Amino acid sequence: MKKIAIFPGSFDPFTIGHEEIVKRGLSMFDTIIVAIGKNSSKKTMHSLEKRMELINKVFADEPRIEVDTYEGLTINYCQSKGAKFLLRGLRTAADFEYERAIAQMNKNLDHEIESVFLLTAPEHTPVCSTIVRDIFNNEGDISAFLPTNINMDDLK
Ligand code: ADP
């Protein structure tokens, strides 16, 4: 059976840290779906469509990676895609505590879906979408934090 993993998040913006987790996940899964959660209450840097466009560009040469959006419970979305795995990245102990609670609650909702965590590369530990977004909103250069084939011009 095909192993499908969902990599859910806001990806506002998608960073070099996200890219690394997805690429490493390819050694474990046949298909990874990068799934952008719709959250109407959050004020975002980019629209859902723009985030999809950017992530599609990052993985244009990788047919095993798909990009999608979803609304509602992540577990329901996993079920609708036939995905048995949820992929998440861990940077710090704070990430661990946050992810632990979500993963354990998700396990209650569906026992068949496993959350799988990859530790970030040391150099990507401080890369966080919220800070990257703040730098961008204040006209700073965020190119070092973006995936390898995305540049500042792509963000317009
Ligand atoms: P969320 O809004 O769900 O926190 P994010 O877009 O911030 O979504 O992150 C999605 C996933 O990517 C989470 O598992 C998060 O821990 C992980 N992640 C974010 N930044 C990094 C990074 N620099 N290195 C590794 N994983 C990361």
Side-chain angles (χ1 to χ4, degrees):
M1 214 173 82
K2 233 174 104 175
K3 282 189 180 158
I4 305 171
I6 304 293
F7 183 55
S10 313
F11 309 124
D12 190 42
F14 196 82
T15 68
I16 194 166
H18 296 129
E19 178 188 28
E20 185 223 337
I21 297 295
V22 175
K23 284 192 166 163
R24 283 167 53 202
L26 283 178
S27 65
M28 293 184 285
F29 308 110
D30 298 308
T31 299
I32 298 177
I33 305 174
V34 180
I36 313 169
K38 292 185 193 171
N39 185 342
S40 51
S41 63
K42 264 194 193 172
K43 197 181 169 301
T44 58
M45 166 173 155
H46 284 135
S47 66
L48 273 179
E49 293 71 26
K50 181 71 185 176
R51 280 178 273 164
M52 268 194 101
E53 176 198 313
L54 288 170
I55 304 169
N56 270 317
K57 183 165 192 262
V58 176
F59 299 120
D61 295 330
E62 184 41 80
R64 294 198 290 132
I65 299 173
E66 295 170 21
V67 187
D68 195 10
T69 61
Y70 73 101
E71 236 170 330
L73 282 181
T74 306
I75 284 292
N76 291 350
Y77 176 72
C78 288
Q79 291 162 346
S80 75
K81 290 287 169 180
K84 296 279 183 228
F85 303 93
L86 263 169
L87 176 62
R88 298 287 284 179
L90 291 179
R91 289 163 293 192
T92 60
D95 269 0
F96 171 77
E97 276 307 318
Y98 175 73
E99 296 290 342
R100 179 190 55 74
I102 295 177
Q104 289 174 335
M105 293 302 269
N106 279 337
K107 196 76 183 158
N108 277 320
L109 296 174
D110 187 333
H111 272 272
E112 288 187 1
I113 296 177
E114 292 292 351
S115 293
V116 176
F117 303 95
L118 287 180
L119 275 184
T120 192
E123 65 272 25
H124 297 154
T125 306
V127 180
C128 143
S129 292
T130 308
I131 302 176
V132 171
R133 195 163 61 231
D134 280 350
I135 298 172
F136 178 80
N137 287 338
N138 289 288
E139 277 103 58
D141 182 356
I142 58 168
S143 41
F145 314 120
L146 298 174
T148 25
N149 67 349
I150 298 288
N151 57 47
M152 293 289 287
D153 285 339
D154 293 316
L155 304 181
K156 286 173 192 160

